[in-house]
Coordinates of all heavy atoms in Angstrom, one line a residue:
M501 N 0.8 -1.2 0.0 CA 0.0 0.0 0.0 C 0.9 1.2 0.0 O 1.8 1.4 0.8 CB -0.9 0.0 1.2 CG -1.8 1.1 1.3 SD -3.0 0.8 2.6 CE -3.4 2.5 3.0
N502 N 0.6 2.2 -0.9 CA 1.4 3.4 -1.0 C 0.9 4.4 0.1 O -0.3 4.6 0.4 CB 1.2 4.1 -2.3 CG 1.8 3.2 -3.4 OD1 2.7 2.5 -3.2 ND2 1.2 3.4 -4.6
A503 N 1.9 5.1 0.7 CA 1.6 6.2 1.6 C 1.1 7.4 0.9 O 1.5 7.7 -0.2 CB 2.8 6.5 2.4
W504 N 0.1 8.1 1.5 CA -0.4 9.3 0.9 C -1.0 10.2 2.0 O -1.3 9.7 3.1 CB -1.4 9.0 -0.2 CG -2.7 8.5 0.4 CD1 -3.1 7.2 0.7 CD2 -3.9 9.3 0.8 NE1 -4.3 7.2 1.2 CE2 -4.8 8.4 1.3 CE3 -4.1 10.7 0.7 CZ2 -6.1 8.9 1.7 CZ3 -5.4 11.1 1.2 CH2 -6.3 10.2 1.7
T505 N -1.1 11.4 1.7 CA -1.8 12.4 2.6 C -2.2 13.6 1.8 O -1.8 13.7 0.6 CB -0.9 12.7 3.8 OG1 -1.7 13.4 4.8 CG2 0.3 13.6 3.4
A506 N -3.0 14.4 2.4 CA -3.5 15.6 1.7 C -3.7 16.8 2.7 O -3.9 16.5 3.9 CB -4.8 15.3 1.0
W507 N -3.5 18.0 2.2 CA -3.8 19.2 3.0 C -4.6 20.1 2.2 O -4.5 20.2 1.0 CB -2.4 19.9 3.3 CG -1.4 19.0 4.0 CD1 -1.3 18.9 5.3 CD2 -0.4 18.2 3.4 NE1 -0.3 18.0 5.6 CE2 0.3 17.6 4.4 CE3 0.0 18.0 2.1 CZ2 1.3 16.7 4.2 CZ3 1.0 17.1 1.9 CH2 1.7 16.5 2.9
T508 N -5.5 20.9 2.9 CA -6.3 21.9 2.3 C -6.3 23.2 3.1 O -6.4 23.1 4.3 CB -7.8 21.4 2.2 OG1 -7.8 20.2 1.4 CG2 -8.7 22.5 1.5
T509 N -6.1 24.3 2.5 CA -6.1 25.6 3.1 C -7.1 26.4 2.4 O -7.0 26.7 1.2 CB -4.7 26.3 3.1 OG1 -3.7 25.4 3.7 CG2 -4.7 27.6 3.8
Q510 N -8.1 26.9 3.2 CA -9.2 27.7 2.7 C -9.0 29.2 3.0 O -8.3 29.5 3.9 CB -10.5 27.3 3.3 CG -10.9 25.8 3.0 CD -12.2 25.4 3.6 OE1 -12.7 26.0 4.6 NE2 -12.9 24.4 3.1
G511 N -9.7 30.0 2.3 CA -9.7 31.4 2.6 C -8.4 32.2 2.4 O -8.1 33.1 3.1
I512 N -7.7 31.8 1.3 CA -6.5 32.5 1.0 C -6.8 33.7 0.1 O -7.5 33.5 -0.9 CB -5.5 31.5 0.2 CG1 -5.2 30.3 0.9 CG2 -4.3 32.3 -0.3 CD1 -4.6 29.2 0.1
L513 N -6.5 34.9 0.6 CA -6.8 36.0 -0.2 C -5.5 36.3 -1.1 O -4.5 36.7 -0.6 CB -7.1 37.2 0.6 CG -8.4 37.1 1.5 CD1 -8.6 38.3 2.4 CD2 -9.6 36.9 0.6
S514 N -5.7 36.0 -2.4 CA -4.5 36.1 -3.3 C -4.1 37.5 -3.6 O -4.9 38.4 -3.6 CB -4.8 35.4 -4.6 OG -5.8 36.1 -5.4
G515 N -2.8 37.6 -3.8 CA -2.3 38.9 -4.3 C -2.7 39.2 -5.7 O -3.2 38.3 -6.4
T516 N -2.4 40.4 -6.2 CA -2.7 40.7 -7.6 C -2.1 39.7 -8.6 O -0.9 39.3 -8.4 CB -2.1 42.1 -7.9 OG1 -2.7 43.1 -7.0 CG2 -2.4 42.5 -9.4
G517 N -2.8 39.2 -9.5 CA -2.4 38.2 -10.4 C -2.7 36.8 -10.0 O -2.7 35.8 -10.8
G518 N -3.0 36.5 -8.7 CA -3.4 35.3 -8.2 C -2.5 34.1 -8.5 O -1.3 34.2 -8.4
V519 N -3.2 33.0 -8.8 CA -2.5 31.7 -9.0 C -2.7 31.3 -10.5 O -3.9 31.3 -11.0 CB -3.0 30.6 -8.1 CG1 -2.4 29.2 -8.4 CG2 -2.7 31.0 -6.6
D520 N -1.7 30.9 -11.2 CA -1.8 30.4 -12.6 C -2.3 29.0 -12.6 O -1.8 28.1 -11.9 CB -0.5 30.6 -13.3 CG -0.7 30.5 -14.8 OD1 -1.8 30.9 -15.3 OD2 0.2 30.0 -15.5
T521 N -3.3 28.7 -13.4 CA -3.8 27.3 -13.6 C -3.6 26.8 -15.0 O -3.6 27.6 -16.0 CB -5.3 27.2 -13.2 OG1 -6.1 27.9 -14.2 CG2 -5.5 27.8 -11.8
V522 N -3.6 25.5 -15.1 CA -3.4 24.9 -16.5 C -4.7 25.1 -17.3 O -4.6 25.4 -18.5 CB -3.2 23.4 -16.3 CG1 -3.2 22.6 -17.6 CG2 -1.8 23.1 -15.6
E523 N -5.8 25.0 -16.7 CA -7.1 24.9 -17.4 C -7.6 26.3 -17.8 O -8.1 26.5 -18.9 CB -8.2 24.2 -16.6 CG -7.9 22.8 -16.3 CD -7.0 22.6 -15.1 OE1 -6.6 23.5 -14.4 OE2 -6.8 21.4 -14.8
I524 N -7.5 27.3 -17.0 CA -8.1 28.6 -17.3 C -7.2 29.8 -17.1 O -7.7 31.0 -17.1 CB -9.4 28.8 -16.4 CG1 -9.1 28.9 -14.9 CG2 -10.5 27.8 -16.8 CD1 -10.3 29.3 -14.1
G525 N -5.9 29.6 -16.8 CA -5.0 30.7 -16.6 C -5.2 31.2 -15.2 O -5.6 30.5 -14.3
P526 N -4.8 32.4 -14.9 CA -4.7 32.9 -13.5 C -6.1 33.1 -12.9 O -7.1 33.5 -13.6 CB -4.1 34.3 -13.6 CG -3.3 34.3 -14.9 CD -4.1 33.4 -15.8
I527 N -6.3 32.7 -11.6 CA -7.5 33.0 -10.9 C -7.0 33.8 -9.6 O -5.9 33.6 -9.1 CB -8.3 31.7 -10.5 CG1 -7.5 30.8 -9.5 CG2 -8.7 31.0 -11.7 CD1 -8.4 29.7 -9.0
H528 N -7.9 34.6 -9.1 CA -7.5 35.4 -8.0 C -8.8 35.7 -7.1 O -9.9 35.5 -7.5 CB -6.9 36.8 -8.4 CG -7.8 37.6 -9.3 ND1 -8.7 38.5 -8.8 CD2 -7.9 37.6 -10.6 CE1 -9.4 39.0 -9.8 NE2 -8.9 38.5 -10.9
G529 N -8.5 36.2 -5.9 CA -9.6 36.4 -5.0 C -9.5 35.5 -3.8 O -8.4 35.2 -3.3
D530 N -10.6 35.0 -3.3 CA -10.7 34.1 -2.1 C -10.5 32.7 -2.6 O -11.4 32.2 -3.3 CB -12.0 34.3 -1.4 CG -12.2 33.5 -0.1 OD1 -11.3 32.7 0.2 OD2 -13.2 33.7 0.5
L531 N -9.4 32.1 -2.4 CA -9.0 30.8 -3.0 C -8.9 29.7 -1.9 O -8.5 30.0 -0.7 CB -7.7 30.9 -3.8 CG -7.7 32.0 -4.9 CD1 -6.3 32.0 -5.5 CD2 -8.8 31.7 -5.9
T532 N -9.0 28.5 -2.3 CA -8.7 27.3 -1.5 C -7.7 26.5 -2.3 O -7.8 26.2 -3.5 CB -10.0 26.5 -1.3 OG1 -10.9 27.2 -0.5 CG2 -9.7 25.2 -0.5
L533 N -6.6 26.1 -1.6 CA -5.6 25.3 -2.1 C -5.6 23.9 -1.5 O -5.8 23.7 -0.3 CB -4.2 25.9 -1.8 CG -3.0 25.1 -2.3 CD1 -2.9 25.1 -3.8 CD2 -1.7 25.6 -1.6
H534 N -5.5 22.9 -2.4 CA -5.5 21.5 -2.0 C -4.2 20.8 -2.5 O -4.0 20.9 -3.7 CB -6.7 20.7 -2.4 CG -6.8 19.3 -2.0 ND1 -7.2 19.0 -0.7 CD2 -6.5 18.2 -2.6 CE1 -7.2 17.7 -0.6 NE2 -6.7 17.2 -1.7
T535 N -3.5 20.1 -1.7 CA -2.3 19.4 -2.1 C -2.5 17.9 -1.7 O -2.8 17.6 -0.5 CB -1.0 19.9 -1.4 OG1 -0.9 21.3 -1.7 CG2 0.2 19.2 -1.9
T536 N -2.2 17.0 -2.6 CA -2.2 15.6 -2.3 C -0.8 15.0 -2.6 O -0.3 15.3 -3.7 CB -3.2 14.9 -3.3 OG1 -4.5 15.4 -3.1 CG2 -3.3 13.4 -2.9
W537 N -0.3 14.3 -1.6 CA 1.0 13.7 -1.8 C 0.8 12.2 -1.9 O 0.3 11.5 -1.0 CB 1.9 14.0 -0.6 CG 3.2 13.3 -0.6 CD1 4.3 13.6 -1.5 CD2 3.7 12.3 0.2 NE1 5.3 12.7 -1.2 CE2 5.0 11.9 -0.2 CE3 3.1 11.6 1.3 CZ2 5.7 10.9 0.4 CZ3 3.8 10.6 1.9 CH2 5.1 10.3 1.5
V538 N 1.3 11.6 -3.0 CA 1.3 10.2 -3.2 C 2.4 9.8 -4.3 O 2.7 10.6 -5.2 CB -0.1 9.7 -3.7 CG1 -0.5 10.3 -5.1 CG2 -0.2 8.2 -3.7
D539 N 3.0 8.7 -4.1 CA 4.0 8.2 -5.0 C 5.1 9.2 -5.3 O 5.6 9.4 -6.4 CB 3.4 7.8 -6.3 CG 2.5 6.6 -6.2 OD1 2.7 5.8 -5.3 OD2 1.5 6.5 -7.0
G540 N 5.5 9.9 -4.2 CA 6.7 10.9 -4.3 C 6.4 12.1 -5.1 O 7.3 12.8 -5.5
K541 N 5.1 12.5 -5.2 CA 4.7 13.7 -5.9 C 3.7 14.5 -5.2 O 2.8 13.8 -4.6 CB 4.2 13.4 -7.3 CG 5.3 12.8 -8.2 CD 4.7 12.6 -9.6 CE 5.7 11.9 -10.5 NZ 5.2 11.5 -11.7
A542 N 3.8 15.8 -5.2 CA 2.7 16.6 -4.6 C 1.9 17.3 -5.7 O 2.5 18.0 -6.5 CB 3.4 17.7 -3.7
A543 N 0.7 16.9 -5.8 CA -0.3 17.5 -6.8 C -1.0 18.6 -6.2 O -1.6 18.5 -5.1 CB -1.2 16.4 -7.3
L544 N -1.0 19.8 -6.8 CA -1.6 21.0 -6.3 C -2.8 21.4 -7.1 O -2.7 21.5 -8.4 CB -0.6 22.2 -6.3 CG 0.7 21.9 -5.4 CD1 1.9 22.1 -6.2 CD2 0.6 22.7 -4.2
A545 N -3.9 21.7 -6.5 CA -5.1 22.2 -7.1 C -5.6 23.4 -6.4 O -5.4 23.5 -5.2 CB -6.1 21.1 -7.2
V546 N -6.3 24.3 -7.1 CA -6.9 25.5 -6.5 C -8.3 25.7 -7.0 O -8.6 25.2 -8.1 CB -5.9 26.7 -6.8 CG1 -5.9 27.0 -8.3 CG2 -6.3 27.9 -6.0
Q547 N -9.1 26.3 -6.2 CA -10.4 26.7 -6.5 C -10.8 28.0 -5.9 O -10.2 28.4 -4.9 CB -11.4 25.6 -6.1 CG -11.7 25.5 -4.7 CD -12.8 24.5 -4.2 OE1 -13.0 24.4 -3.1 NE2 -13.4 23.8 -5.1
Y548 N -11.9 28.6 -6.4 CA -12.5 29.7 -5.7 C -13.1 29.1 -4.5 O -13.9 28.1 -4.6 CB -13.5 30.5 -6.5 CG -12.9 31.2 -7.7 CD1 -13.0 30.7 -9.0 CD2 -12.2 32.4 -7.5 CE1 -12.4 31.4 -10.1 CE2 -11.6 33.1 -8.5 CZ -11.8 32.6 -9.8 OH -11.2 33.3 -10.9
T549 N -12.9 29.7 -3.3 CA -13.4 29.1 -2.0 C -15.0 29.0 -2.2 O -15.6 30.0 -2.5 CB -13.1 30.0 -0.8 OG1 -11.6 30.0 -0.7 CG2 -13.7 29.5 0.5
G550 N -15.5 27.8 -1.9 CA -16.9 27.6 -1.9 C -17.4 27.0 -3.3 O -18.5 26.6 -3.4
A551 N -16.5 27.1 -4.3 CA -16.9 26.6 -5.6 C -16.8 25.1 -5.7 O -16.2 24.4 -4.8 CB -16.0 27.2 -6.7
T552 N -17.2 24.5 -6.8 CA -17.1 23.0 -6.9 C -16.0 22.6 -7.9 O -15.4 21.5 -7.8 CB -18.4 22.4 -7.5 OG1 -18.8 23.0 -8.7 CG2 -19.5 22.6 -6.4
D553 N -15.6 23.5 -8.8 CA -14.5 23.2 -9.8 C -13.1 23.4 -9.2 O -12.9 24.4 -8.6 CB -14.7 24.1 -11.0 CG -16.0 23.8 -11.8 OD1 -16.4 22.6 -11.8 OD2 -16.5 24.7 -12.4
W554 N -12.3 22.5 -9.5 CA -10.9 22.5 -9.1 C -10.0 22.7 -10.3 O -10.3 22.1 -11.4 CB -10.4 21.3 -8.3 CG -11.0 21.2 -7.0 CD1 -12.1 20.5 -6.6 CD2 -10.4 21.7 -5.8 NE1 -12.3 20.6 -5.2 CE2 -11.2 21.4 -4.7 CE3 -9.3 22.5 -5.5 CZ2 -11.0 21.8 -3.4 CZ3 -9.0 22.9 -4.2 CH2 -9.9 22.5 -3.2
F555 N -8.9 23.4 -10.2 CA -8.0 23.7 -11.3 C -6.6 23.3 -10.9 O -6.2 23.5 -9.8 CB -8.1 25.2 -11.7 CG -9.4 25.6 -12.1 CD1 -10.1 26.4 -11.2 CD2 -10.1 25.3 -13.2 CE1 -11.4 26.8 -11.4 CE2 -11.4 25.7 -13.5 CZ -12.0 26.5 -12.6
T556 N -5.9 22.7 -11.9 CA -4.5 22.3 -11.6 C -3.6 23.5 -11.6 O -3.6 24.3 -12.5 CB -4.0 21.3 -12.7 OG1 -4.9 20.3 -12.8 CG2 -2.6 20.8 -12.5
V557 N -2.8 23.7 -10.5 CA -1.8 24.7 -10.5 C -0.7 24.5 -11.5 O -0.2 23.3 -11.6 CB -1.2 24.8 -9.1 CG1 -0.1 25.9 -9.0 CG2 -2.3 25.2 -8.0
T558 N -0.4 25.5 -12.3 CA 0.6 25.3 -13.3 C 1.9 24.9 -12.6 O 2.4 25.4 -11.6 CB 0.9 26.7 -14.1 OG1 -0.4 27.0 -14.7 CG2 2.0 26.6 -15.1
G559 N 2.5 23.8 -13.2 CA 3.8 23.3 -12.7 C 3.6 22.1 -11.8 O 4.5 21.4 -11.4
S560 N 2.3 21.7 -11.5 CA 2.0 20.6 -10.7 C 1.9 19.4 -11.6 O 1.4 19.5 -12.8 CB 0.6 20.8 -10.0 OG 0.2 19.7 -9.3
P561 N 2.3 18.2 -11.1 CA 2.8 17.8 -9.8 C 4.2 18.2 -9.6 O 5.0 18.4 -10.6 CB 2.5 16.3 -9.7 CG 2.6 15.8 -11.1 CD 2.1 17.0 -12.0
V562 N 4.6 18.3 -8.4 CA 6.0 18.6 -8.0 C 6.6 17.4 -7.3 O 6.0 16.8 -6.4 CB 6.0 19.8 -7.0 CG1 7.4 20.2 -6.6 CG2 5.3 21.0 -7.7
P563 N 7.9 17.0 -7.6 CA 8.5 16.0 -6.9 C 8.6 16.3 -5.4 O 9.0 17.4 -5.0 CB 9.9 15.9 -7.5 CG 9.8 16.5 -8.9 CD 8.7 17.6 -8.7
A564 N 8.3 15.3 -4.6 CA 8.4 15.5 -3.1 C 8.7 14.1 -2.5 O 7.8 13.3 -2.4 CB 7.1 16.0 -2.6
A565 N 9.9 14.0 -2.1 CA 10.4 12.7 -1.7 C 9.8 12.2 -0.4 O 9.6 11.0 -0.2 CB 11.9 12.7 -1.5
T566 N 9.4 13.1 0.5 CA 8.8 12.7 1.8 C 7.5 13.5 2.0 O 7.3 14.5 1.4 CB 9.8 13.0 2.9 OG1 9.9 14.4 3.1 CG2 11.1 12.3 2.7
E567 N 6.7 13.0 3.0 CA 5.5 13.7 3.4 C 5.9 15.1 3.9 O 5.2 16.1 3.6 CB 4.8 12.9 4.5 CG 3.6 13.6 4.9 CD 2.8 12.8 6.0 OE1 3.1 11.6 6.1 OE2 2.1 13.4 6.8
R568 N 7.0 15.2 4.6 CA 7.4 16.5 5.1 C 7.7 17.5 4.0 O 7.4 18.7 4.1 CB 8.6 16.4 6.1 CG 9.0 17.6 6.8 CD 8.0 17.9 7.9 NE 8.2 19.2 8.4 CZ 7.4 20.2 8.4 NH1 6.2 20.0 8.0 NH2 7.7 21.3 9.0
H569 N 8.4 17.0 2.9 CA 8.7 17.9 1.8 C 7.4 18.3 1.1 O 7.3 19.5 0.7 CB 9.6 17.2 0.8 CG 11.0 17.0 1.2 ND1 11.7 15.9 1.2 CD2 11.9 17.9 1.8 CE1 12.9 16.0 1.7 NE2 13.0 17.3 2.0
A570 N 6.4 17.4 1.0 CA 5.2 17.8 0.4 C 4.4 18.8 1.2 O 3.8 19.7 0.6 CB 4.3 16.5 0.2
R571 N 4.5 18.7 2.5 CA 3.8 19.7 3.4 C 4.5 21.1 3.2 O 3.8 22.1 3.2 CB 3.9 19.3 4.9 CG 3.3 20.3 5.8 CD 1.8 20.4 5.6 NE 1.1 21.3 6.5 CZ 0.9 22.6 6.1 NH1 1.3 23.1 5.0 NH2 0.3 23.4 7.0
D572 N 5.8 21.1 3.1 CA 6.5 22.3 2.8 C 6.1 22.9 1.5 O 5.9 24.2 1.4 CB 8.0 22.1 2.9 CG 8.9 23.3 2.9 OD1 8.5 24.2 3.7 OD2 9.8 23.4 2.1
I573 N 6.0 22.1 0.5 CA 5.5 22.6 -0.8 C 4.1 23.2 -0.7 O 3.9 24.3 -1.3 CB 5.6 21.5 -1.9 CG1 7.0 21.1 -2.2 CG2 4.8 21.8 -3.1 CD1 7.2 19.8 -3.0
H574 N 3.2 22.6 0.0 CA 1.9 23.1 0.2 C 2.0 24.5 0.9 O 1.4 25.5 0.4 CB 1.1 22.2 1.1 CG -0.3 22.7 1.4 ND1 -1.4 22.6 0.5 CD2 -0.8 23.5 2.5 CE1 -2.4 23.2 1.1 NE2 -2.1 23.7 2.2
Q575 N 2.8 24.7 1.9 CA 2.9 25.9 2.6 C 3.5 27.0 1.7 O 3.1 28.2 1.7 CB 3.7 25.8 3.9 CG 3.7 27.0 4.8 CD 2.3 27.5 5.2 OE1 1.4 26.6 5.5 NE2 2.0 28.8 5.1
R576 N 4.5 26.6 0.9 CA 5.1 27.6 0.0 C 4.1 28.0 -1.0 O 4.1 29.2 -1.4 CB 6.3 27.0 -0.7 CG 7.5 26.9 0.3 CD 8.7 26.3 -0.4 NE 9.8 26.0 0.5 CZ 11.0 26.0 0.2 NH1 11.4 26.2 -1.0 NH2 11.9 25.8 1.1
M577 N 3.2 27.1 -1.5 CA 2.2 27.5 -2.4 C 1.2 28.5 -1.8 O 0.7 29.4 -2.5 CB 1.5 26.3 -3.0 CG 0.6 26.6 -4.2 SD 1.5 27.1 -5.6 CE 0.5 28.6 -6.1
V578 N 0.8 28.2 -0.6 CA -0.1 29.2 0.1 C 0.5 30.6 0.2 O -0.1 31.6 -0.2 CB -0.4 28.7 1.6 CG1 -1.1 29.8 2.4 CG2 -1.2 27.4 1.6
E579 N 1.8 30.6 0.5 CA 2.5 31.9 0.6 C 2.6 32.6 -0.8 O 2.4 33.8 -1.0 CB 3.9 31.7 1.2 CG 3.9 31.3 2.6 CD 5.2 30.8 3.1 OE1 6.2 31.0 2.4 OE2 5.2 30.3 4.3
A580 N 2.9 31.7 -1.9 CA 2.9 32.3 -3.2 C 1.6 32.8 -3.7 O 1.5 33.8 -4.4 CB 3.4 31.2 -4.2
A581 N 0.5 32.1 -3.3 CA -0.8 32.6 -3.7 C -1.1 33.9 -3.0 O -1.7 34.8 -3.7 CB -1.9 31.6 -3.3
K582 N -0.7 34.1 -1.8 CA -0.9 35.4 -1.1 C -0.1 36.5 -1.8 O -0.6 37.6 -1.8 CB -0.5 35.3 0.4 CG -1.5 34.4 1.2 CD -1.0 34.3 2.6 CE -1.9 33.5 3.5 NZ -1.4 33.3 4.8
A583 N 1.0 36.1 -2.3 CA 1.9 37.1 -3.0 C 1.3 37.5 -4.4 O 1.5 38.6 -4.9 CB 3.3 36.6 -3.1
G584 N 0.7 36.5 -5.0 CA 0.1 36.7 -6.3 C 1.1 36.6 -7.4 O 2.1 35.8 -7.4
G585 N 0.9 37.4 -8.5 CA 1.9 37.4 -9.6 C 1.7 36.2 -10.5 O 2.7 35.7 -11.1
A586 N 0.5 35.6 -10.6 CA 0.3 34.4 -11.4 C 1.2 33.3 -10.9 O 1.9 32.6 -11.6 CB 0.5 34.6 -12.9
A587 N 1.1 33.0 -9.5 CA 2.0 32.1 -8.9 C 1.8 30.7 -9.5 O 0.8 30.3 -9.9 CB 1.6 32.0 -7.4
T588 N 3.0 30.0 -9.5 CA 3.0 28.6 -10.0 C 3.5 27.7 -8.9 O 4.0 28.1 -7.9 CB 3.9 28.5 -11.3 OG1 5.2 28.8 -11.0 CG2 3.3 29.3 -12.4
A589 N 3.4 26.4 -9.2 CA 3.8 25.4 -8.2 C 5.3 25.6 -7.8 O 6.1 25.6 -8.7 CB 3.6 24.0 -8.7
P590 N 5.6 25.7 -6.5 CA 7.0 25.8 -6.1 C 7.7 24.5 -6.2 O 7.1 23.4 -5.9 CB 6.9 26.3 -4.6 CG 5.6 25.7 -4.2 CD 4.7 25.7 -5.4
H591 N 8.9 24.5 -6.6 CA 9.7 23.3 -6.7 C 10.6 23.2 -5.5 O 11.3 24.2 -5.2 CB 10.5 23.2 -8.0 CG 9.6 23.0 -9.2 ND1 9.3 21.7 -9.6 CD2 8.9 23.9 -9.9 CE1 8.4 21.8 -10.6 NE2 8.2 23.1 -10.8
H592 N 10.5 22.2 -4.8 CA 11.3 22.0 -3.5 C 12.7 21.7 -3.8 O 13.0 20.7 -4.5 CB 10.6 20.9 -2.7 CG 11.1 20.8 -1.3 ND1 10.8 21.7 -0.3 CD2 12.0 20.0 -0.7 CE1 11.4 21.4 0.8 NE2 12.1 20.3 0.6
D593 N 13.6 22.4 -3.1 CA 15.0 22.1 -3.2 C 15.3 21.0 -2.1 O 15.3 21.3 -0.9 CB 15.8 23.4 -2.8 CG 17.3 23.1 -2.9 OD1 17.7 22.0 -3.1 OD2 18.0 24.1 -2.7
L594 N 15.5 19.8 -2.6 CA 15.7 18.7 -1.6 C 17.0 18.8 -0.9 O 17.2 18.0 0.1 CB 15.7 17.4 -2.4 CG 14.3 17.1 -3.0 CD1 14.4 15.8 -3.8 CD2 13.2 17.0 -2.0
S595 N 17.9 19.7 -1.3 CA 19.1 19.9 -0.5 C 19.0 20.7 0.7 O 19.8 20.6 1.6 CB 20.2 20.5 -1.4 OG 19.8 21.9 -1.7
E596 N 17.8 21.4 0.9 CA 17.6 22.1 2.1 C 16.6 21.4 2.9 O 15.7 20.7 2.4 CB 17.2 23.6 1.8 CG 15.7 23.7 1.5 CD 15.4 25.2 1.2 OE1 16.1 25.9 0.4 OE2 14.4 25.6 1.7
A597 N 16.7 21.5 4.2 CA 15.8 20.9 5.2 C 14.4 21.6 5.1 O 14.3 22.8 4.8 CB 16.3 21.0 6.6
P598 N 13.3 20.8 5.2 CA 12.0 21.4 5.3 C 11.9 22.5 6.4 O 12.5 22.3 7.4 CB 11.1 20.2 5.6 CG 11.8 19.0 5.2 CD 13.3 19.4 5.4
R599 N 11.2 23.5 6.1 CA 11.0 24.6 7.1 C 9.9 24.1 8.1 O 9.0 23.4 7.7 CB 10.5 25.9 6.4 CG 11.6 26.4 5.4 CD 11.1 27.6 4.7 NE 9.8 27.4 4.0 CZ 9.0 28.3 3.5 NH1 9.4 29.5 3.6 NH2 7.9 28.0 3.0
P600 N 10.1 24.6 9.3 CA 9.0 24.3 10.3 C 7.7 24.9 10.0 O 7.7 26.0 9.4 CB 9.6 24.8 11.6 CG 10.6 25.9 11.2 CD 11.1 25.5 9.9
V601 N 6.6 24.2 10.2 CA 5.3 24.7 10.0 C 4.7 24.9 11.4 O 4.6 24.0 12.2 CB 4.4 23.7 9.2 CG1 3.0 24.2 9.0 CG2 5.1 23.5 7.8
L602 N 4.2 26.2 11.6 CA 3.6 26.5 12.8 C 2.1 26.1 12.8 O 1.4 26.2 11.8 CB 3.7 28.0 13.1 CG 5.1 28.6 13.2 CD1 5.0 30.1 13.4 CD2 5.9 27.9 14.3
D603 N 1.7 25.5 13.9 CA 0.3 25.2 14.1 C -0.5 26.4 14.3 O 0.0 27.4 14.8 CB 0.0 24.2 15.2 CG 0.6 22.8 15.0 OD1 0.7 22.4 13.8 OD2 1.1 22.2 15.9
A604 N -1.8 26.4 13.9 CA -2.7 27.5 14.2 C -2.7 27.9 15.7 O -2.7 27.0 16.5 CB -4.1 27.2 13.7
G605 N -2.6 29.1 16.0 CA -2.6 29.5 17.4 C -1.2 29.6 18.0 O -1.0 30.0 19.1
T606 N -0.2 29.2 17.2 CA 1.2 29.3 17.7 C 1.8 30.6 17.2 O 1.5 31.1 16.2 CB 2.0 28.1 17.1 OG1 1.3 26.9 17.2 CG2 3.4 28.1 17.7
E607 N 2.6 31.2 18.1 CA 3.2 32.5 17.7 C 4.6 32.3 17.3 O 5.3 31.5 17.6 CB 3.1 33.4 18.9 CG 1.7 33.5 19.4 CD 1.3 34.9 19.6 OE1 1.9 35.9 19.2 OE2 0.2 35.0 20.3

């Protein structure tokens, strides 16, 4: 059985230019990001929060050797969406250690 996991972040207010998608180009506004990690790859999808249609983030899937690397990619994509500029899937540098992720409510 293959290991897998997924993360979803809702209510991301994108910066100007939003997130670039394969299917429809850039989307912006109140977005939800979903990342699924399976078979060493992180697949990133985005939607308008509350909508039913999901769109593939340009550059997805991204190689992610471990679950921790995939989680880091998810967090980097959240940050990229907030920055805008037609953000695309971040590629993880496996030579650097994953950054710590703070839990909600942690300072």
